[in-house]
Each structure stands twice: as C-alpha cells, then as structure tokens.
Amino acid sequence: MFPNPQTILWWTLLSCTCASVVCSSAPARVLVYTATERFRHDSIPTAVEALKNQSSNINVVFDHTEDQTQFTDPVLAGYDAIMFVSTTGEGKASLMRHPVLDASGKAAFQHYLNLGGNFVGVHSSSDSLVNTTFYGNETGAYFDYHPVIQNATVDVVDASHPSTSMLPAEWHIQEEMYNFKSDPRAIGAVVVLSANESSYIDTGTRKFNQGTPHPSAWFQEHGAGVESGNIAGRSFYTSLGHLNETWQANLWRFFPDPLFMAHVIGGLTWTLGANTTRAFNASGLVGNAGSSTSSTASSSAPALSPSDKYAFFC
Ligand SMILES: *[C@@H]1O[C@H](CO)[C@@H](O)[C@H](O)[C@H]1NC(C)=O
Ligand SMILES: *[C@@H]1O[C@H](CO)[C@@H](O)[C@H](O)[C@H]1NC(C)=O
Ligand SMILES: *[C@@H]1O[C@H](CO)[C@@H](O)[C@H](O)[C@H]1NC(C)=O
Ligand SMILES: *[C@@H]1O[C@H](CO)[C@@H](O)[C@H](O)[C@H]1NC(C)=O
Ligand SMILES: *[C@@H]1O[C@H](CO)[C@@H](O)[C@H](O)[C@H]1NC(C)=O
Ligand SMILES: *[C@@H]1O[C@H](CO)[C@@H](O)[C@H](O)[C@H]1NC(C)=O
Ligand SMILES: *[C@@H]1O[C@H](CO)[C@@H](O)[C@H](O)[C@H]1NC(C)=O
Ligand SMILES: *[C@@H]1O[C@H](CO)[C@@H](O)[C@H](O)[C@H]1NC(C)=O
C-alpha cells in the first residue's frame, strides 16, 4: 500500500523532530497528571497513549498518574516537567470525589516550581485548582466557559514558536473554544494561537476581559507560579485537546491531528528547553538525574554544537 499524504506528513514531522534531538543522551522525564475531581474527559486514556507513543521521537519518558500522593518533594524532584492534561476541579475530597491536589500536594508542586521545575497544561487543566493562586499564575489564566464543540478556526499569532511553527496560519479544528477569566498577557504570557471569533458560534456572554486577540494557547518564558526570589522554569498552555480524534493520528481526515500532536509536543519540548532541570543542566535542582552530563558521557558523545543539543524542532 502506498502511504497517503497524511501519513507522509506525520513521518516528516516525526523524523524532523527526531533528527534534531540528541537521542543518545538520557531522557527528560515528564509526569503526566490527569486527576479529575469534576468533569472527566473520555479522551484522557487516548491522550496518555498518544504522548507515550511520542516518547522515543523526542527522548522523553512519560510517567502517568492520577495519584495525588505522588506530589511530594522527592517524587517531583525527578521530573523535568509536570504536565496537567484535562484535569478538572480542586481539592475537596468527599466520598464520591478525589481531590486533584490537597494542601500538601500543592505545597510540593509550588516547591517544585520554585526549584526551576517546568509546567505544561492542556485543555481543562485551566479549569482545575481554581482556588490555587500560584497554579492560576503558572497556567496563565483560568477557563471561564465554552460554547458547544464545533468547527472553528484558530490563527497562528506567533509562528516562530515551536508549538506553532508547523501549523497553517489559519488552522481549522473541531474543538471547544475556551473563554478565559483573565488575559494571560497580564501575567507576562505570550499568546501563540488565537480564536477567530467569527469562525464559530458562541451564544454565551464573555464577562471577563481575556484580551485581544482571543487567547487559545500561550507560553511563559518564566512561569509566573514561582515565588519571588526562586528559579523560574518555563510554562506552556494550550486550550485544545477535547476529543479522542484530536489526539489520534487519524489518517483519513484532512486535518489529521499530527498537527495537534506536533503543537503539543512542540510546546512541551520548548518548555523543557528552559535548561533549568537536570536533563539539560547538570546543576539543575530537579529533573532526571540520570541524564546529568558526566565527563565520560560528554567525551564519548559526538561533537554537537549547543544549538544542536537543545534544538528539538527544526
Ligand atoms: C475515547 O477513547 C477511549 C479510550 O481511549 C474510549 O474509552 C472512549 O469510549 C472513546 N470515546 C469516544 C467518544 O469515542
Ligand atoms: C500508539 O501507537 C500504537 C502502535 O503504533 C498505535 O496502535 C496506537 O493507535 C497509537 N495510539 C495513539 C493514541 O496514537
Ligand atoms: C473556592 O473558594 C471559594 C471562596 O472561598 C469557595 O466558595 C469555593 O467553594 C472554593 N472552590 C473550590 C472548588 O474549592
Ligand atoms: C496571580 O496571582 C495574583 C496574586 O499574586 C492573583 O491576584 C491573580 O489572580 C493570579 N492570576 C491568576 C490568573 O490566577
Ligand atoms: C467540520 O469539519 C469537517 C472537516 O474538517 C467536516 O467533515 C464536518 O462536516 C464539519 N462539521 C460541521 C458541523 O460543519
Ligand atoms: C475568520 O473567520 C471568518 C469566518 O470563517 C473568515 O471569513 C475570516 O477570513 C477569518 N479571519 C481570519 C483572520 O482567520
Ligand atoms: C542550571 O540550573 C541552575 C539551577 O536551577 C540555574 O541556576 C542555572 O541558571 C541553570 N543554567 C542555565 C544555563 O539555565
Ligand atoms: C538552553 O541551552 C541552549 C544551549 O546552550 C541555548 O541555546 C538556549 O538558549 C538555552 N535556553 C535558555 C532558555 O537559556
């Protein structure tokens, strides 16, 4: 069978990624957290599998958990990034509901961020820990509401960023178009994707000022969840990712979601490029210790310029 154009696009995106990653170095470790205290997306298992499928392409090991007791200083210290995917809710435990993070989990998370830890949020992660100020700042803005899922267009605002450089200028997606309670630019985020509000119908009332253009994805060079006087890692957030189909390499569709995965993976690998964690910085205070560059490893490794070493996407 001859591969169809979408398959070729997929291979191209992946091989282009892999070629520019130092695949010989020990991997970065990322903790994928998908705890839900409220609405549960049935795309969560698909998302986790899709991320794990990218592992060898980007030299990242993904550990997945919904267990808030993993949020302790020693456990989090092993990660180069914490990634919240479609988490919902806060911390009130009840018979029917598990807290997303309790006070001690939040304290460990704050401590992780203070040590240069990185953060990635996807989709309803902006609708979790809504009473946790440092988390809201690390995310950039909280979710307010969305109109029904429908076809819509998002515009690339900053095509120079690794999360958007492969996207068409006007990207057609089927998605819940999120509205936010504040403008992420107000805490220093840079918006990379914006919603074209005339490309879909929103009958709700936008009560908050989320800024212009309407933010859909953004990054922070220095995640604002850090407490002052500490080392800030990077933060990336995208509001996309509701459907299974979005996470699946759906080769028969015209907008198959190699583009979505490339967007998410581009955001993640850019975030890891903060160089504040051990996979990339031997003096990092958190991150995968197995990957600190030893003199033996560096002398036996092929000569690479620093830009090669850290360029994940071409
Ligand atoms: C989405 O995928 C999960 C498995 O990953 C499956 O359990 C669920 O039924 C799927 N949902 C839909 C709407 O196809
Ligand atoms: C993950 O990879 C396996 C093996 O290639 C494939 O069957 C599966 O569909 C992939 N899952 C996702 C969600 O992309
Ligand atoms: C957030 O705090 C407000 C005010 O203290 C409280 O009414 C609300 O129940 C809290 N929400 C959650 C999800 O904890
Ligand atoms: C950021 O933190 C400040 C307090 O330092 C708080 O007033 C503000 O609401 C937070 N922003 C977000 C988006 O959570
Ligand atoms: C959404 O777009 C897809 C093509 O990407 C198309 O197949 C589908 O019919 C559209 N749905 C609506 C409701 O317009
Ligand atoms: C926004 O969407 C409308 C309706 O689909 C379209 O006519 C317009 O060209 C789009 N604008 C941008 C900047 O994408
Ligand atoms: C390496 O990590 C340490 C500790 O987080 C930090 O102080 C230093 O600035 C980092 N180096 C680079 C190049 O980012
Ligand atoms: C991370 O290190 C690489 C290689 O030294 C460098 O090119 C890049 O600018 C650094 N990133 C940051 C945020 O310092």
Side-chain angles (χ1 to χ4, degrees):
M1 282 205 317
F2 193 77
N4 66 26
Q6 286 73 39
T7 311
I8 294 167
L9 170 65
W10 193 214
W11 288 343
T12 306
L13 287 169
L14 293 184
S15 57
C16 158
T17 308
C18 195
S20 53
V21 171
V22 181
C23 295
S24 58
S25 68
R29 285 196 95 88
V30 172
L31 183 64
V32 178
Y33 194 53
T34 58
T36 52
E37 185 241 356
R38 294 190 300 110
F39 183 82
R40 185 165 182 88
H41 287 80
D42 71 0
S43 58
I44 285 174
T46 311
V48 171
E49 185 183 291
L51 288 168
K52 289 190 170 180
N53 277 0
Q54 294 299 312
S55 192
S56 59
N57 295 319
I58 56 171
N59 201 27
V60 168
V61 171
F62 292 98
D63 293 333
H64 171 231
T65 189
E66 300 206 347
D67 176 5
Q68 67 148 317
T69 66
Q70 295 300 302
F71 280 69
T72 62
D73 290 346
V75 172
L76 296 189
Y79 290 101
D80 296 283
I82 309 292
M83 188 167 185
F84 275 43
V85 177
S86 296
T87 50
T88 54
E90 183 82 30
K92 284 184 182 166
S94 69
L95 280 179
M96 301 302 293
R97 293 178 166 188
H98 301 287
V100 168
L101 285 181
D102 64 9
S104 91
K106 289 176 190 177
F109 192 12
Q110 172 75 81
H111 193 211
Y112 171 81
L113 296 176
N114 287 348
L115 295 174
N118 299 302
F119 176 72
V120 174
V122 178
H123 197 53
S124 63
S125 66
S126 59
D127 194 23
S128 62
L129 303 184
V130 297
N131 277 1
T132 307
T133 303
F134 83 84
Y135 181 81
N137 278 265
E138 187 67 18
T139 297
Y142 284 120
F143 166 81
D144 182 24
Y145 76 94
H146 64 76
V148 293
I149 188 163
Q150 59 196 295
N151 286 346
T153 306
V154 283
D155 296 328
V156 172
V157 179
D158 179 353
S160 67
H161 195 259
S163 65
T164 50
S165 56
M166 77 301 288
L167 299 178
E170 295 182 22
W171 182 25
H172 302 286
I173 56 174
Q174 189 183 9
E175 189 55 81
E176 291 175 341
M177 300 302 286
Y178 276 18
N179 293 289
F180 295 93
K181 288 184 171 166
S182 63
D183 182 352
R185 285 159 286 228
I187 51 100
V190 177
V191 173
V192 293
L193 264 188
S194 68
N196 176 344
E197 291 177 352
S198 45
S199 69
Y200 63 98
I201 296 164
D202 183 348
T203 56
T205 305
R206 297 189 178 107
K207 296 183 293 294
F208 299 97
N209 174 18
Q210 61 191 336
T212 307
H214 178 148
S216 296
W218 56 78
F219 68 83
Q220 297 177 58
E221 178 63 49
H222 302 289
V226 74
E227 286 178 308
S228 67
N230 294 288
I231 305 156
R234 285 177 168 176
S235 165
F236 173 77
Y237 171 77
T238 182
S239 60
L240 314 184
H242 180 77
L243 290 172
N244 269 345
E245 288 79 354
T246 303
W247 290 93
Q248 280 155 349
N250 221 344
L251 300 178
W252 58 88
R253 284 179 52 194
F254 186 65
F255 284 108
D257 298 290
L259 287 177
F260 172 75
M261 277 312 288
H263 168 61
V264 170
I265 293 297
L268 170 64
T269 53
W270 172 82
T271 302
L272 292 168
N275 300 342
T276 51
T277 64
R278 289 184 196 125
F280 308 94
N281 174 346
S283 348
L285 304 176
V286 294
N288 188 11
S291 63
S292 330
T293 319
S294 71
S295 53
T296 322
S298 50
S299 62
S300 60
L304 285 163
S305 73
S307 58
D308 286 336
K309 191 170 177 192
Y310 291 89
F312 290 97
F313 258 93
C314 42

